[in-house]
Amino acid sequence: MQNFTLHTPTKILFGEGQIAALADQIPADARILITYGGGSIKKNGVFDQVINALKGRNVVEFSGIEPNPTYETLMKAVEIVRKENIDFLLAVGGGSVADGTKFIAAAVNYKAAEDPWHILQTWGAHVESAIPLGVVLTLPATGSESNSGAVITRKSTGDKQAFMNPLVCPRFAVLDPVVTYTLPERQIANGVVDAFVHTVEQYLTYPVDAKVQDRFAEGLLLTLIEEGPRALKEQHNYNVRANVMWSATMALNGLIGAGVPQDWSTHMLGHEITAMHGLDHAQTLAIVLPAMLNERRVQKREKLLQYAERVWNLRDGSDDQRIDGAIAATRAFFEQMGVPTRLSDYQLDGSSIPALVAKLEEHGMTALGENKDITLDISKRVYEAAR
Amino acid sequence: MQNFTLHTPTKILFGEGQIAALADQIPADARILITYGGGSIKKNGVFDQVINALKGRNVVEFSGIEPNPTYETLMKAVEIVRKENIDFLLAVGGGSVADGTKFIAAAVNYKAAEDPWHILQTWGAHVESAIPLGVVLTLPATGSESNSGAVITRKSTGDKQAFMNPLVCPRFAVLDPVVTYTLPERQIANGVVDAFVHTVEQYLTYPVDAKVQDRFAEGLLLTLIEEGPRALKEQHNYNVRANVMWSATMALNGLIGAGVPQDWSTHMLGHEITAMHGLDHAQTLAIVLPAMLNERRVQKREKLLQYAERVWNLRDGSDDQRIDGAIAATRAFFEQMGVPTRLSDYQLDGSSIPALVAKLEEHGMTALGENKDITLDISKRVYEAAR
């Protein structure tokens, strides 16, 4: 096992009706900015629940945070925070709203550069203060509700980049599975795929004899495989939604990645596809992951075999056959969730692959993976294999 | 899944050499009281590592916290904290030192009653402030290093009682598996049994379709079953010790118990045996658990069958045979760890059972278990079955 520091300070309030407990989590005299996306929370009742819970408090609203939150939009919120002397941010939405709100929190008093885009250019290393924030989660997927990371897109340049800083870790997150009942199927499917890939990226590397982390990761994968398809079919099954929601949070709060190697290359290659072609984040992961696992089958051999056995119950055939089987099962699972796994399924013919690789290079993604040996050439092969 | 609130704010520093990172976790101007037990940390080098890490800081020592920490001893530390204006407590030791230090932290400024024993009489409900504390863990077992609970014994009356309050949750915990190399076998064995039983008490109840929690619990049990016996044989196997240490922390930081029913009856019956006869805590758990599982086989039927299959790989025979097999395997595992599972193994003939039951009654333990239906009569049957 590798050395690690693990800090998961976000207080989780989980279950039906927990939005009502919101007020106790925010200082009574706080000036609150509620941030959200396209307004679906006004249709499904979540906004009303939040407003009811915060009756009598100082509340300002900011809407319009995009599915891939943009710097351009978020900077408008930064202006409001400054003008209204906001001292608490409440993100109501999915991972995009949470991510965007983290950027707002960090940008308001950012000192290291005049333009807070610098936060993304330096992976958050120079953030010295942040407005405290909480999250009411409406879409289980990214894990952003209880971690320190965020991914922000700059519309003007097509860049999609990440930053991390413990100061933007939410103080609390409210997870009510009932609020997911009204989500479109596509968002549920995307969330399951996203959580699955997060787990894989902290699990399918090389073995370091970290038995707890391995079994926790396998437990999440098995749960997502069982509950994901049911979540599509059984819209009002509370426990199914609860299991998916809790899996997604556990997949990226730092726990399963503590003390083990990690390989975020699938996310990095996926981000470029979203930035260039506008595909959903999870769609890009479903495209990249099977191709990446196949490309890295030698380096990931031992863990792929463990994955084949413990997650997919593949025990017969040669090592290579079981690895093939596990990769095929992964692909079939994404397809079963309604998320196609080829660039061609999204009417992309691969002609943009050189441009995607150029973007990877521009963003410094020239040595990815748990061994930092996924070069641009290898990334190109992965894109090609995913056509 | 049941509703839950989960807060795990303790920052974990895990791995070889992490004690050196201690100073960054404690405010530079803090007046620190280092609390410890019988002095083994002075022999195995841990004390020196701590002192080195805190060079130049204001440090006072308090030693002599017992394996079952007593109110009488801890109140002496409370006096020192008051006299020396201590504002940070650093527990260096196992669960007993951590527990004792939590009591000190809560007792110093306790206002609800003149005698801080009131904290135990009221389960910590009236604690309104506590001195901040951190833990350098030397013995993986109780999980106390990252939770809000503590068990304290009052020597004069033979009472052993628990309290919980988020204010005494450690700010950080340093877990270096290397410091466990010099532990006596008996303490390693006790720790593994304790962590195993903690996990079982949050797992073997009735199903609520909480798939992540179940699989996390099963992952801990499987890891302890694999690594526990190896920890006894392979004194310097870092990964084995690391896996045991991490399992013990994960077994009782709140995570696996979030959203599921819990049954702490084995601990409650065990506490009375320790208080009356001085057996090690884990010895009492090894005595009580198999008898308790057998007594509750009807109420716990579904989860016992899941436990038999997923943890002990028992798939043949009738339901009752598989349950018998799982209970027998549990008992055999404790015995394999060198922890006998009968009262008679400890030269106790059962004549104190009426007195043990009377103590349970005195402590209000008249309706234990996940359904609050373990009466004194049932507890008596469990003690009798464990003779």
Side-chain angles (χ1 to χ4, degrees), chain B residues 282-355:
Chain B
Q283 293 172 331
T284 71
L285 303 177
I287 292 167
V288 175
L289 184 71
M292 182 65 79
L293 293 180
N294 193 51
E295 172 68 33
R296 306 304 285 173
R297 60 193 296 144
V298 173
Q299 294 80 2
K300 296 180 186 294
R301 187 171 193 83
E302 283 184 74
K303 291 302 283 284
L304 277 166
L305 287 167
Q306 183 177 323
Y307 172 63
E309 180 180 333
R310 293 195 190 173
V311 176
W312 295 108
N313 202 25
L314 298 170
R315 291 158 197 270
D316 300 323
S318 69
D319 286 4
D320 273 314
Q321 284 170 331
R322 296 201 303 284
I323 290 173
D324 285 340
I327 296 172
T330 307
R331 185 187 294 280
F333 171 61
F334 296 158
E335 300 273 355
Q336 184 190 5
M337 291 303 298
V339 185
T341 60
R342 302 275 183 193
L343 284 169
S344 57
D345 295 322
Y346 302 90
Q347 289 72 55
L348 295 175
D349 62 5
S351 57
S352 68
I353 289 175

Side-chain angles (χ1 to χ4, degrees), chain A residues 240-301:
Chain A
V240 167
R241 295 297 172 108
N243 285 328
V244 167
M245 200 167 209
W246 194 222
S247 295
T249 297
M250 285 291 106
L252 202 53
N253 74 338
L255 179 68
I256 62 167
V260 298
Q262 305 189 8
D263 169 14
W264 292 93
S265 59
T266 294
H267 261 75
M268 297 306 132
L269 269 66
H271 284 171
E272 302 304 349
I273 301 176
T274 295
M276 191 170 298
H277 298 293
L279 267 61
D280 294 350
H281 174 56
Q283 292 173 332
T284 71
L285 303 177
I287 291 167
V288 176
L289 184 71
M292 180 66 77
L293 293 180
N294 192 52
E295 172 68 33
R296 306 303 284 173
R297 59 192 296 141
V298 173
Q299 294 81 1
K300 297 180 186 295
R301 187 172 193 82

Side-chain angles (χ1 to χ4, degrees), chain A residues 355-369:
Chain A
L356 290 169
V357 174
K359 274 291 183 187
L360 279 177
E361 184 168 20
E362 183 185 328
H363 296 143
M365 306 293 169
T366 56
L368 297 171

Side-chain angles (χ1 to χ4, degrees), chain B residues 129-387:
Chain B
S129 72
I131 312 284
L133 65 120
V135 177
V136 175
L137 189 68
T138 59
L139 171 58
T142 72
S144 182
E145 65 277 7
S146 69
N147 67 34
S148 304
V151 181
I152 308 295
T153 298
R154 187 154 189 167
K155 224 178 188 168
S156 59
T157 59
D159 292 321
K160 181 171 180 176
Q161 287 187 258
F163 82 97
M164 292 194 79
N165 192 290
L167 291 167
V168 302
C169 193
R171 303 296 171 102
F172 65 84
V174 181
L175 280 64
D176 179 348
V178 173
V179 310
T180 74
Y181 289 174
T182 53
L183 286 172
E185 268 196 17
R186 174 167 157 179
Q187 291 194 13
I188 290 284
N190 281 346
V192 168
V193 170
D194 195 22
F196 191 95
V197 177
H198 287 154
T199 308
V200 165
E201 287 176 304
Q202 298 165 87
Y203 168 68
L204 278 177
T205 57
Y206 55 84
V208 294
D209 205 5
K211 295 195 171 188
V212 172
Q213 293 89 325
D214 277 5
R215 287 205 167 93
F216 280 12
E218 288 152 0
L220 297 178
L221 296 174
L222 287 164
T223 301
L224 290 165
I225 290 165
E226 284 170 14
E227 304 291 72
R230 291 183 68 190
L232 294 183
K233 284 184 205 129
E234 304 172 31
Q235 193 187 346
H236 295 97
N237 187 322
Y238 179 84
N239 279 336
V240 167
R241 294 297 172 109
N243 286 328
V244 167
M245 201 167 206
W246 194 224
S247 295
T249 297
M250 285 292 107
L252 202 54
N253 75 337
L255 179 68
I256 61 168
V260 298
Q262 305 190 8
D263 169 14
W264 292 94
S265 60
T266 294
H267 261 75
M268 296 307 132
L269 269 65
H271 284 171
E272 302 303 350
I273 301 176
T274 295
M276 191 170 298
H277 297 293
L279 267 61
D280 295 350
H281 174 57
Q283 293 172 331
T284 71
L285 303 177
I287 292 167
V288 175
L289 184 71
M292 182 65 79
L293 293 180
N294 193 51
E295 172 68 33
R296 306 304 285 173
R297 60 193 296 144
V298 173
Q299 294 80 2
K300 296 180 186 294
R301 187 171 193 83
E302 283 184 74
K303 291 302 283 284
L304 277 166
L305 287 167
Q306 183 177 323
Y307 172 63
E309 180 180 333
R310 293 195 190 173
V311 176
W312 295 108
N313 202 25
L314 298 170
R315 291 158 197 270
D316 300 323
S318 69
D319 286 4
D320 273 314
Q321 284 170 331
R322 296 201 303 284
I323 290 173
D324 285 340
I327 296 172
T330 307
R331 185 187 294 280
F333 171 61
F334 296 158
E335 300 273 355
Q336 184 190 5
M337 291 303 298
V339 185
T341 60
R342 302 275 183 193
L343 284 169
S344 57
D345 295 322
Y346 302 90
Q347 289 72 55
L348 295 175
D349 62 5
S351 57
S352 68
I353 289 175
L356 289 168
V357 174
K359 274 292 184 186
L360 280 177
E361 185 168 19
E362 184 185 328
H363 296 144
M365 305 292 169
T366 55
L368 297 172
E370 65 271 27
N371 292 312
K372 299 190 188 306
D373 61 352
I374 300 179
T375 59
L376 292 175
D377 278 351
I378 294 171
S379 291
K380 191 176 177 198
R381 283 211 298 274
V382 171
Y383 280 133
E384 294 285 352
R387 284 170 85 142

Side-chain angles (χ1 to χ4, degrees), chain A residues 85-212:
Chain A
N85 290 313
I86 297 295
D87 53 14
F88 201 97
L89 303 175
L90 181 63
V92 183
S96 299
V97 175
D99 279 12
T101 305
K102 288 176 183 178
F103 177 77
I104 299 166
V108 171
N109 297 310
Y110 195 64
K111 304 223 184 314
E114 201 164 322
D115 181 353
W117 182 251
H118 186 257
I119 296 169
L120 281 307
Q121 292 172 314
T122 54
W123 283 80
H126 303 289
V127 175
E128 283 173 8
S129 72
I131 312 285
L133 65 118
V135 177
V136 176
L137 189 69
T138 59
L139 172 58
T142 72
S144 182
E145 65 278 8
S146 69
N147 67 33
S148 304
V151 181
I152 308 296
T153 297
R154 188 153 190 167
K155 224 177 186 167
S156 59
T157 58
D159 291 320
K160 181 172 180 176
Q161 287 188 259
F163 82 98
M164 292 195 79
N165 191 291
L167 290 167
V168 301
C169 192
R171 304 295 170 102
F172 65 85
V174 181
L175 280 66
D176 179 348
V178 173
V179 310
T180 73
Y181 289 175
T182 54
L183 285 172
E185 267 196 19
R186 173 166 157 180
Q187 290 194 15
I188 289 286
N190 281 346
V192 168
V193 170
D194 195 22
F196 191 93
V197 177
H198 288 155
T199 307
V200 164
E201 287 176 304
Q202 298 164 87
Y203 168 68
L204 277 177
T205 57
Y206 55 84
V208 294
D209 206 6
K211 296 195 171 186
V212 172

Side-chain angles (χ1 to χ4, degrees), chain A residues 23-32 54-58 87-88:
Chain A
D24 300 337
Q25 309 304 321
I26 303 176
D29 57 351
R31 292 184 59 82
I32 306 163
L54 295 177
K55 217 171 253 173
R57 301 295 188 91
N58 287 312
D87 53 14
F88 201 97

